[in-house]
């Protein structure tokens, strides 16, 4: 008997995200600025723990993280006070809510328009996947990165085909959510049906690497006594050149 879990432990995506920061930014002389909406101690405990985890990973590479607090509004002028000419900056919010996201990316966009002498990027959170329809242009403008267990590339022709068939059969569009449950079921079914067929129903021989429309499957054991866990995490990068770069970790 085998147990497979598609929901990875929380520390897996956090670890992948921390590695992204260390591998992508620490070697390029970036300066890290953590943004706190309110004081640090007013944040929920899980948010503080995640912020501390990122901070400790960055500091383990020999970098430091400056902290900046704001209450209600966040203006480009406030961000500019924390930057110096000819340097690179990575802004890291401590929340993935739409309210925090919209204030941050709007302020960073205005900062980039005013300060051509600096280079800036933004790190976001999985919730930002659900904001892409409205905020995609701004994500590109401010050079945005975020991670997610689920992601659909709008340029994927398979997505267009799925949406067309879904509307044909159910008479409506899929809901804008993360994940889109119709796609989750489709990817899971396509993976297991094909994989089990190829493995002749022996799950121990199943191909554990599959790239679906919204999900990537890469099942691994965490120990000799555990079941299989899907540890795949998408790292999404909205570049200033309007490309969407997708890595699977």
């Amino acid at each position: 008997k085998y147990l497979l879990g598609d929901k990875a432990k929380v520390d897996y995506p956090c670890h992948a995200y921390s590695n992204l920061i260390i591998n992508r930014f620490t070697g390029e002389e970036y300066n890290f600025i953590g943004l706190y909406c309110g004081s640090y101690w007013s944040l929920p405990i899980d948010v503080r723990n995640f912020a501390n985890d990122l901070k400790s990973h960055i500091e383990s590479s020999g970098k430091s993280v400056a902290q900046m607090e704001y209450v209600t509004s966040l203006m480009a002028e406030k961000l500019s006070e924390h930057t110096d000419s000819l340097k690179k900056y990575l802004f890291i919010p401590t929340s993935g809510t739409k309210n925090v996201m919209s204030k941050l990316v709007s302020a960073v966009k205005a900062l980039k328009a005013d300060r051509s002498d600096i280079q800036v990027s933004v790190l976001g959170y999985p919730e930002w996947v659900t904001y892409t329809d409205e905020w995609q242009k701004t994500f590109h403008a401010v050079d945005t990165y975020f991670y997610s267990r689920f992601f659909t590339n709008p340029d994927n022709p398979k997505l267009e085909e799925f949406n067309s068939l879904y509307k044909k059969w159910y008479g409506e569009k899929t809901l804008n959510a993360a994940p889109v449950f119709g796609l989750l079921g489709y990817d899971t079914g396509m993976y297991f049906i094909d994989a089990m067929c190829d493995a002749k129903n022996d799950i121990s021989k199943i191909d554990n690497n599959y790239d679906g429309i919204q999900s990537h499957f890469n099942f691994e054991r965490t120990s000799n006594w555990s079941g299989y866990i899907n540890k795949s995490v998408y790292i999404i990068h909205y570049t200033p050149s309007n490309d969407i770069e997708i890595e699977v970790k």
Side-chain angles (χ1 to χ4, degrees), residues 33-64:
I33 299 180
L35 293 149
Y36 298 87
C37 184
S39 69
Y40 170 82
W41 295 108
S42 68
L43 299 172
I45 183 64
D46 59 328
V47 174
R48 295 205 306 268
N49 288 341
F50 183 74
N52 288 337
D53 181 67
L54 286 180
K55 185 172 182 289
S56 64
H57 275 81
I58 293 171
E59 290 176 342
S60 69
S61 67
K63 293 282 188 175
S64 61

Side-chain angles (χ1 to χ4, degrees), residues 99-118:
N99 180 50
V100 169
M101 178 279 299
S102 61
K103 290 178 180 178
L104 173 59
V105 298
S106 296
V108 172
K109 184 178 180 180
L111 174 67
K112 293 189 72 170
D114 292 339
R115 296 284 306 277
S116 60
D117 59 320
I118 60 175

Side-chain angles (χ1 to χ4, degrees), residues 149-161:
R149 288 292 319 285
F150 309 97
F151 183 73
T152 54
N153 187 338
D155 297 327
N156 187 344
K158 292 183 179 180
L159 175 61
E160 183 178 355
E161 180 182 2

